[in-house]
């Protein structure tokens, strides 16, 4: 049974995250968290030119608790460093899957090399909620290199699909997640049609990163627009009008109370207060000086 097209949410204005990432939030936990659970937030930094600089551009040390952040680099390089000792540089096609879990302090900057040479940066950051039983899991960092991410040629020369998490057509992505999550990155050729088989009952959405996607003969979604499907059903057929790039996300809903406060997403307000106190007293760790 096909999924039903629920809504096409318009692109929102972009805003700066720190001084390094100019992103549009496709959604945040303040609006679509219930509908799109387990997903909490999705930011897209569309391709943007940065001049060479000696300065570090990005976001300085800040905490997270209770969820995971997934960062995908499409162009340029991003460097991450955290209080658990994790860190590294991700470049085009690479993904970092960070479990904040019980708490982490990290920083996110353009890599030194990218800052020095300048160039085009394009990235996505997705926040994935953790179920109550896993919110205090130890922090963890998965570096998923582009070569480790299966690339699948789509039938009929429609384009290519990369399996970051979950599986597509029998091929599994490298990410380990706490709850079942499909995360696919698609590059479609002009006119390329693809049938996406999501899991029945999962929250499923498409973010158009570039180009235009025809959805059901009548409706289409343009760059920056978020397409949300019904949980019921599994199949979604889409077709690219012109070359297009799309991020597909689908996951098992976590139907638990959710309280979000900036970088913390927990189940109760008391847990938020505890998170703030734990961060302020250094219990989420500190970042060694560079
Ligand atoms: Mn962060």
């Amino acid at each position: 049974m096909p999924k039903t097209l629920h809504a096409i949410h318009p692109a929102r204005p972009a805003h700066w995250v720190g001084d390094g990432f100019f992103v549009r939030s496709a959604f945040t936990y303040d609006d679509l968290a219930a509908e799109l659970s387990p997903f909490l937030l999705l930011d897209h930094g569309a391709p943007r030119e940065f001049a060479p600089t000696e300065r570090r551009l990005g976001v300085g040390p800040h905490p997270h608790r209770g969820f995971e952040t997934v960062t995908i680099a499409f162009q340029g390089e991003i460097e991450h460093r955290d209080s658990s000792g994790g860190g590294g540089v991700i470049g085009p096609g690479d993904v970092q899957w960070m479990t904040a879990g019980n708490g982490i302090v990290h920083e996110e900057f353009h890599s030194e090399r990218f800052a020095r040479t300048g160039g085009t940066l394009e990235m996505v950051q997705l926040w994935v909620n953790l179920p109550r039983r896993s919110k205090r899991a130890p922090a963890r960092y998965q570096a998923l290199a582009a070569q480790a991410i299966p690339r699948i040629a789509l039938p009929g020369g429609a384009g290519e699909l990369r399996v970051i998490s979950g599986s597509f057509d029998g091929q599994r992505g490298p990410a380990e997640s706490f709850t079942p999550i499909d995360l696919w990155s698609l590059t479609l050729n002009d006119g390329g049609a693809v049938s996406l088989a999501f899991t029945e009952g999962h929250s499923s959405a498409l973010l158009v990163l570039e180009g235009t996607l025809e959805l059901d003969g009548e409706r289409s979604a343009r760059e920056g627009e978020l397409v949300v499907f019904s949980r019921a059903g599994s199949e979604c057929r889409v077709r690219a009008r012109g070359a297009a790039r799309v991020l597909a996300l689908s996951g098992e809903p976590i139907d638990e109370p959710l309280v979000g406060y900036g970088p913390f997403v927990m189940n109760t307000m008391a847990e938020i207060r505890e998170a703030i106190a734990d961060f302020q007293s250094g219990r989420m760790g500190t970042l060694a000086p560079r």
Side-chain angles (χ1 to χ4, degrees), residues 1-285:
M1 192 179 92
K3 280 184 181 286
T4 307
L5 176 56
H6 234 47
I8 303 170
H9 295 278
R12 302 178 190 196
H15 64 274
W16 283 98
V17 175
D19 59 8
F21 306 101
F22 192 60
V23 304
R24 281 194 295 229
S25 296
F27 63 90
T28 74
Y29 58 68
D30 287 328
D31 41 59
L32 295 182
E35 191 173 353
L36 287 178
S37 175
F39 305 109
L40 297 169
L41 174 148
L42 178 57
D43 279 351
H44 178 217
R48 186 181 179 88
E49 286 299 316
F50 286 89
T53 177
E54 296 290 304
R55 229 154 50 84
R56 300 183 73 217
L57 297 178
V59 201
H62 60 278
H64 292 291
R65 172 180 278 177
F67 60 100
E68 302 185 286
T69 67
V70 180
T71 308
I72 307 171
F74 290 100
Q75 299 185 67
E77 284 183 346
I78 303 160
E79 183 170 3
H80 153 273
R81 204 161 63 95
D82 69 48
S83 53
S84 77
V89 174
I90 56 169
D94 299 335
V95 177
Q96 57 167 238
W97 194 295
M98 186 190 82
T99 307
N102 193 34
I104 206 164
V105 175
H106 78 157
E107 59 177 29
E108 300 159 271
F109 282 97
H110 298 185
S111 76
E112 272 179 39
R113 187 175 71 178
F114 178 80
R116 236 186 0 259
T117 59
T120 306
L121 185 74
E122 183 188 7
M123 50 75 69
V124 156
Q125 190 167 88
L126 172 69
W127 291 13
V128 180
N129 203 5
L130 291 171
R132 183 188 278 122
R133 65 176 184 277
S134 306
K135 279 195 175 291
R136 306 295 291 261
R140 179 171 69 157
Y141 175 73
Q142 299 174 65
L144 312 174
Q147 314 86 269
I149 298 172
R151 312 170 81 95
I152 298 172
L154 295 168
E160 183 183 80
L161 183 151
R162 300 172 66 233
V163 189
I164 297 167
S165 174
S167 64
F168 184 90
D169 205 15
Q171 295 223 47
R172 279 207 74 76
E176 288 177 33
S177 59
F178 284 77
T179 57
I181 285 164
D182 288 309
L183 182 60
W184 308 325
S185 172
L186 291 86
T187 305
L188 298 173
N189 300 318
D190 185 4
V194 59
S195 178
L196 302 171
F198 294 117
T199 303
E200 170 76 35
H202 282 196
S203 307
S204 307
L206 303 176
L207 176 64
V208 182
L209 301 175
E210 182 189 337
T212 300
L213 211 54
E214 293 175 357
L215 300 168
D216 56 4
E218 285 171 37
R219 286 171 289 187
S220 59
R222 287 171 304 177
E223 180 177 324
E225 294 186 326
L226 179 79
V227 183
V228 177
F229 296 98
S230 62
R231 285 184 184 175
S234 60
E235 195 204 0
C236 299
R237 275 195 76 77
V238 298
R239 185 174 176 275
R241 187 190 302 156
R245 289 186 302 120
V246 179
L247 190 70
L249 42 149
S250 186
E252 183 180 89
I254 300 170
D255 288 323
E256 295 175 355
L258 183 154
V259 183
Y261 183 82
F264 309 124
V265 181
M266 304 300 292
N267 300 113
T268 68
M269 199 58 211
E271 290 168 340
I272 293 291
R273 284 192 289 270
E274 183 187 15
I276 294 168
D278 284 352
F279 167 57
Q280 287 173 344
S281 63
R283 279 195 287 272
M284 290 188 189

